[in-house]
Amino acid sequence: MAERVSGLRASRHQKLERLVERGVDPYPARVRRTHTNAQARALLLEQERVEAAAPPPAPVTVAGRVVALRGMGRSSFADLRDGTDKLQVQFRRDLLGEEYASLKDLDVGDFLEVHGSMIRTRTGEVTVEARKFTLLSKSLRPLPEKWHGLRDTEQRYRRRYLDLIANHDEVMPTFLKRSRVIEGIRAFMSGRGFVEVDTPVLVPVAGGALASPFITHHHALDQDLYMRIATELYLKRLIVGGFDKVYEIGRIFRNEGVDQDHNPEFTMMESYEAYADYTNVMSMVEEMVSTVAQAVLGSAVVRHGEQDVDLSPPWRRIPFLEAVEEHAGIDLYPYVLGGKGADELAAEARAKGFDVADGPVHRVYDKLLSLSVEPRLIAPTFIVDYPMIMSPLAKQKPGSPHLVERFEAFAVGMEVANAYTELNDPVEQRRRFQAQEEVRRRYGDEEMDRTDEDFLLALEYGMPPTGGLGIGIDRLVMLLTGQTSIRDVMLFPQMRSRE
RNA sequence: GGGCCGUUAGCUCAGUUUGGUCAGAGCACCGGACUUUUAAUCCGGGUGUCCAGGGUUCGAAUCCCUGACGGCCCA
């Protein structure tokens, strides 16, 4: 029973019916491809290179999507695209006979298998001269326009497959690079002796970051569970268990807004290295990012708007308090020492023209950093030594009781990494969690770290001094591909459902 | 959460200021011509829930209200 279709789609359905009437299977199960488009092209080039007099290469069978059709009467051309290349096909009535007429049931968007010889046309185009062709899959919808592609951002994100087809040359390379960035990170980490692990996504306590979790429920256990907001606390349990170097690349879920560099689910790489501290991690990050850039782009220099940004080590290192002092003109030291309070700081910040709300002091610190410092950090920069209140999982900096050994890495005005010398003192860790709970109660702020008793128990068994790292893969891909929206480096960014 | 902008044919977009030959163009598609095209070309054809729902009006794509979705900026 055919779906009732109207307008532009009707003609494709009519073609489909004609094909079925002729006994053609519009969706056959078998493909007899002998060469990818790239291989077929290479075959001809190789033959031309070796000797013009050499025997012509044997016929090939290629397959792909018809992305262009040019009818010329007794001869027609199609462009066939597979995952490797685009290849022209010529159909000649004198070579195809009766079969030539069935071209009229072919549409742009159909998948086709073509058997024929590799030739060069008079204009020099490498071409398959068809002797036989078989429909592999009938397309029932017209594709977006060939000149402008698909411009509507909403459609590009909601129907990414169309974006990939219509804007192939712009969009596909970004996602291929994304894949190679992740490969590059794995190679780098593996080369340094790190072991890749998988830890739970569904967790009883959403800890390890200052963020709101998604909540869900397990029916059989009759227990609420959370989607992880970090992998940190599980990876540290593994350090307790005796892994010296572990990392995980995985999806993280944070119940927060959507904007140009936030998506509720995103990909993070976290690593933990025993017997290391945050200075070792800094060196590793510099090296990793420039190595991956080199591997994926062939250069450690990326383009950001009008300027070149060199990712080669060493990166600039600026203490947190100095950075805020320099860019915001506010001396945070009295606040960090505890002499002055959060409301006073918020008032001072507002007096300097920063739009910050009253709230927990760590929020004001964070706001000042993101308003005054972050946008100016175009060249890769480490901000180091954060106020302790912002960083409940980081170890105190020796000699600076209110600071911790923490850094964040910034580039092109965006945070890309966060790392600590990990706090491994279980008594102190409990105290820090309690301080977080305290702030949560006082301000009703869900974005505070949560006490994870099972994690504290693990720490009590003893964790070696450890350097830990979290690096946002999506943002790293943005940095390396020059994209300014996280949606353009995620295949399926979060969108509101349409009703 | 606030502000601004957008939503019209399968796609890319005009048309909204000033309500009335405003249902339009290009590509795509359909019919015809064409044996070397590659944004093929030439001739003919408009295929539509103007985002949705209310309202104003003799008359609404256009003005007003509400809502949906998206983008950008701010928070």
Side-chain angles (χ1 to χ4, degrees):
Chain A
M1 182 86 159
E3 180 195 359
R4 194 159 191 88
V5 290
S6 60
L8 302 175
R9 289 170 55 204
S11 83
R12 292 194 178 217
H13 283 263
Q14 282 161 13
K15 289 176 182 178
L16 179 66
E17 282 169 28
R18 284 205 298 266
L19 286 162
V20 171
E21 277 165 22
R22 283 213 315 275
V24 172
D25 179 356
Y27 303 100
R30 301 282 171 257
V31 179
R32 285 155 296 186
R33 180 168 81 159
T34 60
H35 293 72
T36 65
N37 286 346
Q39 289 167 339
R41 181 184 300 278
L43 202 64
L44 183 68
L45 296 182
E46 177 62 12
Q47 191 243 348
E48 289 172 344
R49 191 184 66 80
V50 171
E51 187 61 64
V60 298
T61 304
V62 296
R65 167 179 267 125
V66 175
V67 292
L69 262 177
R70 294 177 291 279
M72 303 279 306
R74 269 158 282 185
S75 173
S76 298
F77 295 89
D79 292 336
L80 211 59
R81 186 159 77 202
D82 69 6
T84 65
D85 202 358
K86 192 164 83 175
L87 198 59
Q88 177 169 272
V89 178
Q90 183 179 17
F91 304 91
R92 295 171 53 147
R93 196 170 73 173
D94 58 354
L95 296 178
L96 291 164
E98 295 290 294
E99 206 184 349
Y100 188 82
S102 65
L103 277 179
K104 72 176 192 301
D105 290 330
L106 199 62
D107 285 299
V108 170
D110 291 352
F111 284 86
L112 204 61
E113 176 181 274
V114 178
H115 177 78
S117 304
M118 297 305 300
I119 61 161
R120 221 177 247 280
T121 61
R122 200 159 68 195
T123 58
E125 181 75 22
V126 174
T127 299
V128 185
E129 191 178 58
R131 298 288 170 154
K132 183 173 167 46
F133 61 93
T134 308
L135 182 66
L136 292 178
S137 183
K138 184 68 192 159
S139 164
L140 296 178
R141 299 259 181 182
L143 288 174
E145 209 240 1
K146 63 182 173 185
W147 297 2
H148 304 90
L150 184 66
R151 293 267 67 87
D152 185 290
T153 46
E154 184 173 351
Q155 294 305 323
R156 290 187 51 218
Y157 299 147
R158 285 188 194 277
R159 302 161 81 191
R160 180 69 86 182
Y161 52 93
L162 276 187
D163 187 35
L164 287 162
I165 296 169
N167 305 321
H168 177 271
D169 293 346
E170 295 82 55
V171 177
M172 190 65 90
T174 300
F175 290 105
L176 294 178
K177 277 180 195 161
R178 181 185 171 109
S179 168
R180 288 165 54 207
V181 166
I182 294 172
E183 269 179 36
I185 291 172
R186 287 206 161 96
F188 180 89
M189 296 304 283
S190 170
R192 291 192 157 224
F194 281 81
V195 173
E196 183 172 9
V197 297
D198 300 284
T199 65
V201 170
L202 293 174
V203 295
V205 180
L210 280 47
S212 301
F214 287 93
I215 185 166
T216 185
H217 189 81
H218 190 287
H219 296 306
L221 298 179
D222 189 23
Q223 180 192 343
D224 282 344
L225 292 171
Y226 301 88
M227 311 288 280
R228 66 184 177 191
I229 56 174
T231 49
E232 174 147 1
L233 302 186
Y234 282 94
L235 292 176
K236 284 180 181 172
R237 284 170 171 89
L238 296 179
I239 297 292
V240 169
F243 281 95
D244 278 352
K245 295 179 176 184
V246 290
Y247 76 104
E248 176 162 8
I249 295 176
R251 202 61 63 90
I252 300 297
F253 306 85
R254 294 184 181 173
N255 204 337
E256 57 193 19
V258 175
D259 66 24
Q260 284 199 91
D261 36 38
H262 293 86
N263 193 71
E265 55 180 299
F266 61 99
T267 302
M268 187 150 81
M269 197 278 281
E270 284 195 45
S271 73
Y272 292 84
E273 178 175 5
Y275 317 112
D277 61 32
Y278 77 145
T279 62
N280 306 116
V281 179
M282 261 184 268
S283 308
M284 184 174 91
V285 169
E286 290 172 337
E287 239 183 272
M288 178 170 67
V289 171
S290 55
T291 301
V292 169
Q294 194 66 242
V296 174
L297 309 172
S299 163
V301 177
V302 296
R303 195 83 188 146
H304 175 68
E306 299 296 294
Q307 34 191 326
D308 286 330
V309 176
D310 189 353
L311 302 173
S312 308
W315 298 358
R316 207 153 57 112
R317 301 179 183 194
I318 308 173
F320 178 88
L321 294 178
E322 278 180 30
V324 174
E325 167 102 58
E326 181 189 333
H327 294 289
I330 296 176
D331 179 10
L332 289 182
Y333 205 62
Y335 299 100
V336 170
L337 288 176
K340 295 162 88 178
D343 293 350
E344 251 179 299
L345 175 56
E348 185 179 349
R350 281 194 292 268
K352 299 269 186 194
F354 296 105
D355 191 4
V356 304
D358 286 330
V361 73
H362 79 274
R363 295 285 238 175
V364 184
Y365 293 158
D366 198 48
K367 197 79 206 169
L368 278 175
L369 184 72
S370 59
L371 286 179
S372 71
V373 182
E374 183 168 349
R376 297 182 194 176
L377 300 180
I378 304 302
T381 305
F382 292 118
I383 301 294
V384 303
D385 300 340
Y386 282 62
M388 184 177 286
I389 185 71
M390 298 176 76
S391 320
L393 299 165
K395 183 176 278 189
Q396 184 209 310
K397 186 177 170 67
S400 303
H402 301 285
L403 298 181
V404 292
E405 293 199 344
R406 172 185 181 184
F407 73 81
E408 290 186 297
F410 296 87
V412 302
M414 181 173 67
E415 179 202 334
V416 294
N418 180 28
Y420 323 125
T421 301
E422 301 297 338
L423 178 57
N424 62 344
D425 173 344
V427 176
E428 171 68 2
Q429 182 66 78
R430 179 176 293 280
R431 196 186 65 74
R432 299 272 199 93
F433 276 146
Q434 281 165 354
Q436 292 280 309
E437 302 284 3
E438 180 64 28
V439 174
R440 190 212 313 283
R441 271 194 298 279
R442 231 171 84 207
Y443 291 93
D445 187 349
E446 276 313 297
E447 298 189 17
M448 299 301 295
D449 219 325
R450 289 158 191 76
T451 307
D452 183 335
E453 286 295 342
D454 186 72
F455 169 66
L456 286 171
L457 177 62
L459 273 194
E460 286 177 13
Y461 283 93
M463 183 174 89
T466 297
L469 166 70
I471 183 161
I473 301 296
D474 311 283
R475 292 181 181 182
L476 181 61
V477 174
M478 287 168 70
L479 173 63
L480 296 182
T481 57
Q483 298 294 334
T484 54
S485 171
I486 198 169
R487 297 181 204 96
D488 291 323
V489 299
M490 308 189 90
L491 283 168
F492 299 99
Q494 192 64 48
M495 303 288 275
R496 192 187 289 270
S497 299
R498 311 188 79 165
E499 249 328 281

